[in-house]
Amino acid sequence: MNKHYVFVYGTLRRNEKYHYLLQDAELVAEQAWTNGSLFDTGLGYPAVKKSQTETVYGELYLVSDGHLRSLDQLEGYEEQGRNNLYDRKKQSIYHDGGETEAFIYTVANHNKSMLQTPIPFGDWKVYQFEKQNGNVLYFAYGSCLDHARFKLAGVDHYFQKLAGVAELKGYTLRFTKKLPDGGRADIVEDGGVVEGKVYEIPYECLEYLYRREGVHTLLYRPALIDVKMNGQTIKDVLTFIVVSKDPETVSPDHYLEEIIRGGSGFLSETYISRLQEHVKMLK
């Protein structure tokens, strides 16, 4: 039986309607990306066209021949087919573990009419998430743990409802965004555990978070993750991930103080202690 790497970016992703087709497939990376432009087809699913200047986010899987046949059928692809809905080709997929050549389904040249609406940030799940209007769940793991910062910014009224403390499994907190005064926090998919607070916030709070996290200047990007809270899996919780990761840099003292102050009494003492020791090692 052959194995194939496949990058998925739409309705095949985790918690999406066709993800069941990847049952028993091996997840290689939840946070993966590649070159391309992402579009809403207006048909309930997205499409990608080639681009060297834009980025598409998705997930990377190692699949069997059977999986690949099922995916081909869903995507309207046949080898040597002349009327394919999508083409299946290999290209470089990037993730925290490195670079992998994988199949990706891109819209066939004769179906360019499917490319209706460009999707901001290149992320189908975030695009769908942003269409809602109610309260949302937000996972804070860095300086946003610190309620004092919210008060200083005059937005503490948005963060009055703490849903609980959660674990993000499969990731580690690292300082991969280098600013002039030092590193800023990020989550790196390397098999660890990140602890954080989950807030229930009103939708209008997103404007503040996007501005604070530098989303529109491509400092951080919004992403949806699954976390463990009170023994249950909470799906598609909003967080923010560094877009272009730098070599890890020690954080400034004031920044680490914000994380510790915000996490004390909420995050485990073991987690906070390990974080402090890690920062000492970076100095």
Side-chain angles (χ1 to χ4, degrees):
M1 182 184 298
N2 296 316
K3 291 286 187 177
H4 315 271
Y5 289 103
V6 177
F7 174 78
V8 300
Y9 55 83
T11 57
L12 285 161
R13 292 180 65 182
R14 175 176 43 85
N15 303 330
E16 295 290 314
K17 63 180 178 180
Y18 292 119
H19 183 69
Y20 70 90
L21 292 175
L22 290 170
Q23 186 177 2
D24 300 325
E26 179 184 342
L27 174 65
V28 178
E30 281 186 345
Q31 307 299 332
W33 59 94
T34 191
N35 294 328
S37 298
L38 188 64
F39 290 83
D40 185 352
T41 64
L43 302 170
Y45 52 87
V48 165
K49 76 169 184 178
K50 291 182 180 179
S51 171
Q52 294 300 313
T53 60
E54 296 182 68
T55 302
V56 176
Y57 292 96
E59 299 158 16
L60 180 63
Y61 291 88
L62 186 61
V63 307
S64 66
D65 289 332
H67 285 122
L68 196 62
R69 285 192 295 270
S70 295
L71 300 185
D72 284 349
Q73 184 176 11
L74 176 70
E75 305 291 3
Y77 170 81
E78 292 182 5
E79 290 192 37
Q80 311 302 323
R82 295 185 177 182
N83 296 307
N84 287 344
L85 187 63
Y86 288 83
D87 291 328
R88 171 164 56 78
K89 296 181 179 179
K90 284 188 176 181
Q91 68 182 57
S92 293
I93 309 299
Y94 306 95
H95 47 91
D96 289 343
E99 178 181 344
T100 303
E101 287 290 307
F103 286 124
I104 180 175
Y105 292 89
T106 58
V107 67
N109 286 330
H110 58 272
N111 288 322
K112 292 295 179 65
S113 61
M114 293 171 61
L115 305 176
Q116 292 292 314
T117 305
I119 293 179
F121 312 124
D123 191 318
W124 169 255
K125 287 178 70 71
V126 171
Y127 176 68
Q128 296 293 101
F129 165 83
E130 289 182 340
K131 292 180 179 180
Q132 61 183 305
N133 293 312
N135 289 359
V136 300
L137 294 178
Y138 160 59
F139 178 77
Y141 61 85
S143 62
C144 277
L145 290 167
D146 185 19
H147 201 78
R149 285 284 304 274
F150 297 143
K151 284 187 175 182
L152 188 64
V155 296
D156 53 302
H157 57 286
Y158 287 142
F159 298 91
Q160 293 299 314
K161 190 169 184 179
L162 180 64
V165 175
E167 289 187 336
L168 173 61
K169 295 187 176 180
Y171 297 76
T172 303
L173 191 149
R174 293 291 182 250
F175 299 92
T176 70
K177 177 45 60 180
K178 185 177 182 180
L179 296 184
D181 64 344
R184 294 300 187 271
D186 183 22
I187 52 174
V188 176
E189 191 178 2
D190 66 356
V193 176
V194 177
E195 295 184 16
K197 293 177 180 177
V198 175
Y199 292 98
E200 183 177 338
I201 59 174
Y203 185 82
E204 56 266 29
C205 180
L206 295 186
E207 181 181 354
Y208 163 73
L209 286 175
Y210 276 33
R211 184 173 64 252
R212 173 169 172 162
E213 302 295 346
V215 169
H216 297 291
T217 57
L218 301 182
L219 189 64
Y220 286 78
R221 65 179 176 89
L224 298 176
I225 55 169
D226 291 354
V227 299
K228 285 282 189 180
M229 187 168 66
N230 300 324
Q232 295 184 325
T233 298
I234 311 300
K235 297 180 179 180
D236 290 339
V237 177
L238 175 69
T239 197
F240 295 90
I241 301 175
V242 168
V243 173
S244 298
K245 301 178 190 295
D246 300 313
E248 196 172 14
T249 306
V250 65
S251 64
D253 290 341
H254 72 86
Y255 185 77
L256 182 61
E257 287 172 6
E258 291 167 358
I259 296 176
I260 302 304
R261 184 170 59 217
S264 294
F266 297 93
L267 312 186
S268 70
E269 292 182 2
T270 299
Y271 178 81
I272 292 177
S273 177
R274 287 176 178 171
L275 179 59
Q276 291 172 315
E277 288 298 318
H278 178 71
V279 171
K280 286 181 183 178
M281 291 175 59
L282 292 175
K283 292 183 177 180

